[in-house]
Amino acid sequence: MKRKMISCASALFFLAVFSCERDKPDPECLDASCCNPFAYEYVEYLVDEPVALTGPPYYAYHAFQFSRKFPSKSDGRYFTDLASICEKSFHKLSGFPLSYGKNNDSNAFPYRVSGKLLDWKGEKAVHLPILTLYIDKIEKIN
């Protein structure tokens, strides 16, 4: 009986410690779990932001060119208008052709995107943000 109680107590202990609930991603992605919580930290949420899509063969990776600078809460010295795209949201880009390339100096921003903007939290050569966007919604502007 005593051995059975100890087994039940240890099972409950391990169930509490290794519960699946604690590893669930945050739905608002404030912990960057929607992309990579070890590499990024949450910056802000973008809603219907006009963007141009770029990527191979013009650039080495897929990215969004924004119509304005980010992060919005920057002190004005450290901001950028480019964000790479989180790998976990690449599937949402199917059916959206590239709209911005090296030889394309069009200022048109044909897409509107909403999503979570994340910044690289590792070492940086300069103090500029290295932004990544997890796409919640992307649509073509008519």
Side-chain angles (χ1 to χ4, degrees):
M1 177 73 172
K2 191 174 185 177
R3 182 176 273 174
K4 196 174 205 179
M5 287 290 281
I6 292 173
S7 296
C8 288
S10 356
L12 287 175
F13 171 77
F14 283 113
L15 185 61
V17 170
F18 298 109
S19 171
C20 296
E21 289 295 316
R22 72 181 179 123
D23 292 333
K24 279 191 173 179
D26 177 18
E28 295 178 13
C29 195
L30 298 179
D31 62 353
S33 59
C34 58
C35 196
N36 182 351
F38 303 107
Y40 298 103
E41 58 190 359
Y42 179 83
V43 176
E44 64 184 289
Y45 190 81
L46 306 181
V47 178
D48 294 335
E49 195 64 40
V51 294
L53 177 63
T54 187
Y58 305 110
Y59 293 96
Y61 56 90
H62 283 89
F64 285 123
Q65 180 79 38
F66 295 107
S67 61
R68 64 186 180 108
K69 305 282 186 176
F70 287 99
S72 300
K73 297 175 183 147
S74 174
D75 61 3
R77 294 181 297 171
Y78 307 116
F79 53 84
T80 184
D81 61 350
L82 189 71
S84 63
I85 300 167
C86 180
E87 289 180 19
K88 292 183 179 180
S89 61
F90 273 158
H91 66 280
K92 297 177 183 178
L93 293 177
S94 65
F96 293 96
L98 299 180
S99 60
Y100 187 82
K102 285 184 178 176
N103 298 327
N104 182 1
D105 27 28
S106 169
N107 289 329
F109 297 95
Y111 304 121
R112 191 174 295 137
V113 71
S114 296
K116 294 141 184 106
L117 194 63
L118 309 164
D119 189 13
W120 178 258
K121 66 181 181 183
E123 297 270 337
K124 298 177 186 177
V126 292
H127 293 288
L128 294 175
I130 301 173
L131 301 176
T132 295
L133 184 75
Y134 178 82
I135 305 166
D136 283 334
K137 180 182 80 170
I138 183 170
E139 61 187 10
K140 184 161 178 55
I141 300 173
N142 292 333

